[in-house]
Amino acid sequence: MQWAQSRVRAALLTGGRAFVLSFVSIAGSAALLVLSLLSITVILLGVGLVTTPPLMEAVRKHADQRRRLAGSWSGIRIPVPYRPFPKDLRTGFTGQVERTTLLLKDPATWRDLRWLLLDMTAGYVLLVLTFALLVYPLEGLVLAAGLWRVFEDSTYWYGFVPVSSQATGLAAAALGVAIFVAAMWASRPLLRLHFVLARSALSPAPGELAQRIDRLTETRHEAVDTAASELRRIERDLHDGAQARLVAMGMNLGTIEALVEKDPAQAKKLLAMARASSAEALTELRDLVRGIHPPVLAERGLGDAVKALALRMPIASEVTVELTGRAEAPVESAAYFAVSEALTNVVKHADADRVWVDLHHAEGTLRISVTDDGKGGALLGNGSGLSGIERRLGTFDGVLAVSSPAGGPTMVTMEIPCALS
C-alpha cells in the first residue's frame, strides 16, 4: 500500500513538473526562437547588432535552465559548450560588432536555436503527453459518475469507448483507471525522454569535445608545472631562509657554550643574536605556511579568508561577500590565491588609493571582481601576474577578464564554475 502511495506521489510530481515546463517550453522557446531569427535577419540593417547579443544571452540562460532541470529531475547531464569571449574585447559599437560576430561563429549558438525549434514542437508534445496521461483518467471517472447523461441523445467517445449509458460510463471509468496505472509507470520515462531530446540538440559534436579535452589536458600540464614550481620555491625559501637561520643559531649556541665562562659579555651578545635569529626563523616559517594554505581559509572559508587578506592591504579596501555555502577546497584555494595575486598587483603596479573586492555565487558560477581606482593600463600577457591567475583558474575551467583603460579604473573579473555546499 505504501509502495503504491509512493508511486502515485512520484507520478503526480512528475506530471506537475511536466505541466509547468510545458508552458515554459511553448511560450519561452517559441518567443525566443522568433525574436532571435528576426534579430539575426536584421543584422545587416544594423539593428541586429544591438539586439542579437542580449537575445543570445537570454537563449543561453533559457538553455542553461533546461540543463539544470535535466540534471536535477532526471539525472541527465547536458554539457555547457559555449566559447568564452576573448579578454581584449573592445567596447562601444566596434565591440558590439565583435560580440555579434563571435556569437554567430559559435556552433553552440546554432545548436541552441535548433533546440528551441525542437523544444517547442516534439519537446512540448512529450511534456503534454506526460501530464495528460495523468489528467485524462479523471474524465472517465466523471462520465461514470453521471456525466454520461449529457450524451444520451448522441455518442461521446472516451478513448475507444462510446459513452451513451451508465454501462458504457463505467467502461470509460475502467479505461481511465487503466490509463492512470499505465501513466504511473510511463510518466517518468516520458519526462526523461524530453530531456534526452534536449541533450541530443544541445550537446556538442565529438570534434568539439576533443578540443575541450585538449584544453583540459593543457591546463592540467600547466597546473602540474605550477605545482612543481611552487614546490621548488618552498624548498628554496626553506634552504635560504629558515634553515640558514637555524644553522647560524646552532653555531652561535656552540660559541656561547665555549665563551660563557671565559667572556660572559661576548656570550651574552651572541645569545641575543641567537634569540633574534630564532624569532626571524619563526616568522619566516609562519609566512611560508601562510603562503601554502592559510588556516583561515580552511577553517572559515573563502569569504573570511579574503577579508583577512584585505585587512593586511596597505591601502583602503572593501570586501563584499554573498556566498551561501562553501566550494570544494581546491576551488577555494585557487580563488583565494587568484585574489591574493590580483591584490598584490594592485599594490605593486596600480598606484591606487582604494580597492574593492566582490565575491558572489550565482547560476553555478563563483564570480569575483577586484576593482581599484589606480592608473589602469593592466594587460594580459606572457609573464605577467594576470597570466598566472588565468592559468590558475584555467585548471578549473575558470576564465579571467580584465578591463583597464589608461587612467583607470581597473577591474579584474574571475569566474569559476562550481557548486556550493
Side-chain angles (χ1 to χ4, degrees), residues 32-95:
L32 286 172
L33 179 63
V34 171
L35 291 174
S36 299
L37 292 179
L38 282 174
S39 179
I40 293 173
T41 305
V42 296
I43 282 178
L44 293 178
L45 301 177
V47 180
L49 294 173
V50 178
T51 57
T52 300
L55 272 172
M56 290 301 106
E57 184 68 24
V59 170
R60 290 185 174 191
K61 287 183 179 178
H62 185 55
D64 284 342
Q65 183 197 44
R66 197 59 55 88
R67 290 185 177 95
R68 287 193 293 275
L69 293 180
S72 59
W73 288 359
S74 294
I76 294 176
R77 182 181 176 278
I78 305 176
V80 182
Y82 302 119
R83 293 177 180 173
F85 289 122
K87 313 299 181 298
D88 55 349
L89 199 65
R90 285 173 283 189
T91 58
F93 180 76
T94 306

Side-chain angles (χ1 to χ4, degrees), residues 6 9-10 20 52 56 88 93 95 160 168 177 220 234 243 245 250 266 273-274 331 336 351 363 384 389 400 402 415:
S6 174
R9 280 198 298 270
V20 174
T52 300
M56 290 301 106
D88 55 349
F93 180 76
F160 56 83
T168 54
V177 171
R220 187 191 65 182
I234 293 171
Q243 181 180 338
R245 294 189 186 284
Q266 183 65 20
M273 292 174 61
V331 174
Y336 173 82
D351 193 20
E363 300 176 351
S384 73
I389 296 175
L400 172 73
V402 179
E415 294 187 352

Side-chain angles (χ1 to χ4, degrees), residues 383-413:
S384 73
L386 292 174
S387 298
I389 296 175
E390 189 177 34
R391 286 194 297 273
R392 188 187 293 273
L393 299 180
T395 309
F396 301 91
D397 269 359
V399 294
L400 172 73
V402 179
S403 172
S404 183
T410 295
M411 174 181 279
V412 177
T413 305

Side-chain angles (χ1 to χ4, degrees), residues 144-221:
L147 186 64
W148 64 270
R149 292 187 176 87
V150 177
F151 308 106
E152 280 183 320
D153 299 332
S154 61
T155 301
Y156 176 79
W157 288 87
Y158 178 75
F160 56 83
V161 176
V163 180
S164 58
S165 64
Q166 182 62 52
T168 54
L170 291 174
L175 178 60
V177 171
I179 293 174
F180 185 77
V181 172
M184 286 197 301
W185 294 96
S187 57
R188 293 185 66 180
L190 282 173
L191 186 62
R192 181 179 176 81
L193 183 59
H194 168 84
F195 291 124
V196 169
L197 203 64
R199 183 177 60 184
S200 68
L202 290 172
S203 295
E208 291 181 60
L209 288 176
Q211 290 179 0
R212 179 173 171 77
I213 291 172
D214 291 342
R215 169 64 179 159
L216 289 176
T217 303
E218 181 183 348
T219 55
R220 187 191 65 182
H221 289 162

Side-chain angles (χ1 to χ4, degrees), residues 226-227 229-231 233-235 237-238 282-298 305 309 312 332-338 340-341 344 392:
T226 302
S229 175
E230 188 69 8
L231 182 60
R233 182 190 67 79
I234 293 171
E235 290 174 347
D237 288 350
L238 282 173
L282 185 60
T283 301
E284 289 181 358
L285 285 173
R286 283 174 176 167
D287 291 342
L288 191 62
V289 170
R290 188 180 297 116
I292 296 171
H293 195 81
V296 66
L297 177 62
L309 195 63
R312 297 199 297 270
E332 281 194 334
S333 180
Y336 173 82
F337 284 108
S340 176
E341 181 72 25
T344 302
R392 188 187 293 273

